[in-house]
Amino acid sequence: EIPQNSIFNAKDNVTVEDDTDVDMSRLVVEEQVRNDELGVYRLTYRYTDTDGNITEKVRIVKVVSADPD
């Protein structure tokens, strides 16, 4: 969960593991989180290594009211 209107970077704290190499520039995030709109957002992370192997992971991000009331 993230508070509405907070700063959100989909690649923050994301790691990739590979047997041979890791190049974070090969990480693609599909879809976006609208941090100004309450709701649930589905992000798809896709990483392609130098051998052409593709790994995908889905992350759900919920934007909640920043007002505690």
Side-chain angles (χ1 to χ4, degrees):
E1 290 184 358
I2 63 168
Q4 185 178 19
N5 296 317
S6 65
I7 295 172
F8 177 75
N9 181 334
K11 290 186 178 182
D12 280 354
N13 302 313
V14 172
T15 60
V16 174
E17 294 182 19
D18 190 72
D19 292 340
T20 57
D21 64 346
V22 173
D23 178 356
M24 292 301 283
S25 69
R26 295 174 170 270
L27 178 66
V28 175
V29 182
E30 295 180 358
E31 296 88 26
Q32 294 182 348
V33 172
R34 300 238 4 220
N35 62 343
D36 60 332
E37 289 188 21
L38 301 178
V40 177
Y41 298 87
R42 177 187 164 110
L43 302 177
T44 301
Y45 292 77
R46 181 175 293 120
Y47 182 79
T48 306
D49 69 13
T50 55
D51 292 328
N53 300 309
I54 299 171
T55 301
E56 287 187 355
K57 178 86 174 181
V58 173
R59 177 182 181 190
I60 304 298
V61 177
K62 185 175 182 181
V63 178
V64 297
S65 176
D67 184 7
D69 294 330

